[in-house]
Amino acid sequence: MNILFLSIVRFNDINDSGIYTDLMRKFKLEGHAIYVASPAERRFKEATSLSIKDGVSLLKIKTLNIQKTNFIEKGFATITLEGQFLRQIKKHYQHIKFDLVLYSTPPITFSRVVSYIKQKDNAKSYLLLKDIFPQNAVDLGMLKKTGLLYRYFRNKEKKLYALSDYIGCMSPANKKFVIDHNPTINPAKVEVNPNSISPREMEITDKEQAEIRATYGIPLSATVFVYGGNLGKPQGIDFLVEVLVSNQASPNAFFVIVGDGTEFPAIQEAINKHHFGNVLLLKSLPKEQYDRLVLACDVGLIFLHRSFTIPNYPSRLLSYMEAKMPVLAATDKRTDIGEIMVKNGYGLWAESGNLNEFNKNMAVFLKDKDKLKEMGVKSYAYLLANYQVSNSYQIIIEKLDV
């Protein structure tokens, strides 16, 4: 099959690890022809380009900044995105007859592109729903339901759902939310197709762990809690700061935070104010270096804003599981990420804002090293059984009668 994948994730190399590159690589390994359309954001100072790498066609389309930018530019970039994608796809992929168009949210403004491919080629369409917008912006106080922007994006969302032959949701709660809040959708086309990866063998020796910790000034005897990923309003970073402040005198806990986003300065300000002796904040690291650092840590952290009414399911969970780590989460009550990890024995959960409950969960990992290791084993086992990219591939391919 000829498959067109639309994404706002920056694609440089199909061999990079990630939920989308891993899935595209799986399709390629199964003999399908892969065509990717992704942005070349303004901040990278790149022109639109088309290249072939390892047999995969990569169309990079010049756009405004979509990620790691202010809300105004992000909003305008999202509005103009589908026009930019449509023009370049018509120009560079006009001669290709696609059998399947795959796309993820964000953004929800790909409806014209999807409609064009479906009409031109009679292609099937599959939405990988990773973000429920604009409701998430309403939850965070960025949009009002009475506003023009909300109505514009909500209409775009409805069109994209209607155009999609199938919608793959990240979790059961995610699926239920989509069906309950979109009564015009046929529930039969909505299914669970979770975030997934091709797990790599990731191991380090005790000596390597000691060397990595020494490099970053992390005590060898500490239980290290690591957070990696975006540091923005959706993550409820104010609660992360509360956790750091309340544990600054803990002799055995150490926090490693690696990421960037609009709330990075808030963490830096807290560090400057409180002079934490057990917090390491890094703005960014090369992927390979970050993966090695994670292997030298003990517990993965997930934070989500307490105001969310939509059930998010952060993909950063998978990097922790791949490293055979248990997970400590503080989220809203709507997502089922905490319920799933607790039920299957690989993590602990507290509602975001409940500092007492969060610290009680932390204490479990600080006091019981055997429990920590046991949960880490269960974490990796659950990843292999439920979040492998081969599962996601099979879910999609079964819908296509091939």
Side-chain angles (χ1 to χ4, degrees), residues 71-97:
F71 184 70
I72 294 174
E73 182 177 17
K74 184 174 184 176
F76 192 65
T78 302
I79 291 171
T80 57
L81 194 69
E82 66 176 343
Q84 294 165 330
F85 267 60
L86 188 56
R87 283 192 298 274
Q88 298 302 328
I89 286 170
K90 284 182 175 180
K91 178 178 178 180
H92 295 282
Y93 289 158
Q94 178 68 30
H95 61 293
I96 307 296
K97 185 181 187 303

Side-chain angles (χ1 to χ4, degrees), residues 66-284:
I66 306 163
Q67 303 178 75
K68 297 180 181 179
T69 187
N70 61 73
F71 184 70
I72 294 174
E73 182 177 17
K74 184 174 184 176
F76 192 65
T78 302
I79 291 171
T80 57
L81 194 69
E82 66 176 343
Q84 294 165 330
F85 267 60
L86 188 56
R87 283 192 298 274
Q88 298 302 328
I89 286 170
K90 284 182 175 180
K91 178 178 178 180
H92 295 282
Y93 289 158
Q94 178 68 30
H95 61 293
I96 307 296
K97 185 181 187 303
F98 293 108
D99 302 288
L100 171 66
V101 54
L102 266 173
Y103 42 99
S104 61
T105 57
I108 45 87
T109 52
F110 274 150
S111 54
R112 285 169 56 201
V113 183
V114 174
S115 179
Y116 167 73
I117 297 298
K118 291 189 71 172
Q119 290 179 16
K120 180 175 80 74
D121 300 328
N122 195 30
K124 290 286 182 69
S125 57
Y126 196 108
L127 168 60
L128 295 164
L129 191 70
K130 309 299 185 186
D131 179 68
I132 298 176
F133 184 83
Q135 183 58 47
N136 59 357
V138 172
D139 292 344
L140 296 174
M142 296 176 179
L143 290 179
K144 293 183 178 180
K145 281 196 171 182
T146 55
L148 289 174
L149 268 180
Y150 171 82
R151 291 199 294 270
Y152 171 82
F153 285 123
R154 178 59 173 146
N155 286 332
K156 283 288 186 182
E157 182 188 23
K158 289 178 179 178
K159 286 180 182 178
L160 194 65
Y161 292 170
L163 277 168
S164 302
D165 294 317
Y166 302 100
I167 300 174
C169 299
M170 295 181 289
S171 73
N174 202 257
K175 173 184 172 180
K176 184 177 186 302
F177 182 94
V178 171
I179 293 171
D180 290 349
H181 290 80
N182 297 276
T184 59
I185 294 179
N186 178 3
K189 75 176 187 179
V190 186
E191 62 187 356
V192 175
N193 190 343
N195 296 327
S196 59
I197 57 172
S198 296
R200 300 163 293 169
E201 276 298 324
M202 300 180 69
E203 300 280 355
I204 58 170
T205 64
D206 291 343
K207 180 183 178 182
E208 288 172 322
Q209 183 192 64
E211 290 172 348
I212 294 168
R213 289 197 178 191
T215 298
Y216 292 99
I218 303 170
L220 187 59
S221 61
T223 299
V224 183
F225 299 82
V226 60
Y227 176 92
N230 189 45
L231 296 167
K233 288 191 179 299
Q235 286 69 45
I237 297 304
D238 57 336
F239 184 61
L240 170 57
V241 171
E242 285 184 49
V243 168
L244 299 180
V245 171
S246 72
N247 287 280
Q248 62 183 317
S250 175
N252 300 318
F254 195 94
F255 298 89
V256 174
I257 303 167
V258 185
D260 197 5
T262 57
E263 304 306 298
F264 182 93
I267 302 176
Q268 186 66 69
E269 183 180 336
I271 290 174
N272 294 339
K273 178 181 177 180
H274 296 281
H275 305 289
F276 299 125
N278 62 344
V279 178
L280 171 66
L281 176 64
L282 300 170
K283 195 155 193 175
S284 62

Side-chain angles (χ1 to χ4, degrees), residues 332-364:
D332 58 275
K333 292 188 290 187
R334 298 301 181 97
T335 180
D336 52 353
I337 191 170
E339 176 188 345
I340 291 172
M341 66 174 63
V342 171
K343 179 181 177 181
N344 292 281
Y346 65 85
L348 299 175
W349 173 87
E351 185 179 357
S352 180
N354 190 335
L355 188 59
N356 183 57
E357 191 66 23
F358 185 90
N359 284 339
K360 281 173 60 178
N361 289 339
M362 264 191 65
V364 173

